[in-house]
Structures are given as C-alpha cells and as structure tokens.
Amino acid sequence: MKATWMIVLAGASLAYAQNPLTTELRQGYNEIKTAMTKAADEMPEADYNFAPGPGSRPYGATMLHGAQVQAAVCGMASGKQAPRFDQARTGKSDVVAAVKEIGRAHV
C-alpha cells in the first residue's frame, strides 16, 4: 500500500511539473518579477517622488502598490500569507526591499 501511494504521488508531481498552465503562469510571474526588480533598482532615488500629473501616484507608491498586488495574487495562488508593506514607505530602499520580498516569498 505504501509503495502504491509513493507511485501515485510521484505521478501527480510529474504531472504538475509538466502542466502547461502551471509552466505558463510561472514564466509570466518570473517575467513580471524581473521587470519590477529592474525598474525598482534602476530608478534613481531622487525620482521616486516623480508623479506624472496631479492626482497620480508617485513612482515609489506605484511600484509599492504593484508589489502589494503581486504578493496578494501569489499568496492566493500558493495558499501562503502575503506580506503586507507599509504604504507610506515609498523610498527606493523600501520599495526595492518589498519587490525582492515577493520574489523570495512566492517562488
């Protein structure tokens, strides 16, 4: 009986690993994570307060919002608790840390 369960679990794991939807979602997630990390790293600290117009979020707040949404979606998909980020901390170091946190928490 134990051997049967091991075979069933091994087959289920193999099927999961080869699932095209899972593969596609993971690839999309990795592309978003890479783009967000690069954008957060490359923007100069002085430009994190840039807002394209009145009523628009500044760059740092927009990036932090993106990190929060990504963490929430990944948390729902993985069943893990999504990290919460302080929305008032929109400086470069805080935003870069938040973006990298979602990369570590939901891979």
Side-chain angles (χ1 to χ4, degrees), residues 52-100:
S56 297
R57 283 186 178 133
Y59 182 82
T62 301
M63 289 297 293
L64 189 60
H65 175 72
Q68 188 67 61
V69 169
Q70 189 71 7
V73 169
C74 291
M76 287 186 284
S78 69
K80 296 178 184 176
Q81 180 69 34
R84 298 285 306 160
F85 305 115
D86 182 351
Q87 298 298 308
R89 300 188 67 155
T90 59
K92 181 172 183 165
S93 62
D94 293 315
V95 172
V96 169
V99 170
K100 289 182 178 179

Side-chain angles (χ1 to χ4, degrees), residues 23-88:
T23 302
E24 183 82 19
L25 289 172
R26 187 172 298 278
Q27 182 180 9
Y29 167 74
N30 285 328
E31 289 172 5
I32 291 169
K33 179 178 70 171
T34 300
M36 286 184 69
T37 301
K38 185 177 178 182
D41 281 335
E42 291 183 1
M43 179 64 84
E45 172 75 36
D47 292 333
Y48 264 68
N49 288 324
F50 169 77
S56 297
R57 283 186 178 133
Y59 182 82
T62 301
M63 289 297 293
L64 189 60
H65 175 72
Q68 188 67 61
V69 169
Q70 189 71 7
V73 169
C74 291
M76 287 186 284
S78 69
K80 296 178 184 176
Q81 180 69 34
R84 298 285 306 160
F85 305 115
D86 182 351
Q87 298 298 308

Side-chain angles (χ1 to χ4, degrees), residues 2-14:
K2 191 175 188 179
T4 303
W5 276 111
M6 293 300 285
I7 292 169
V8 169
L9 290 174
S13 295
L14 183 60

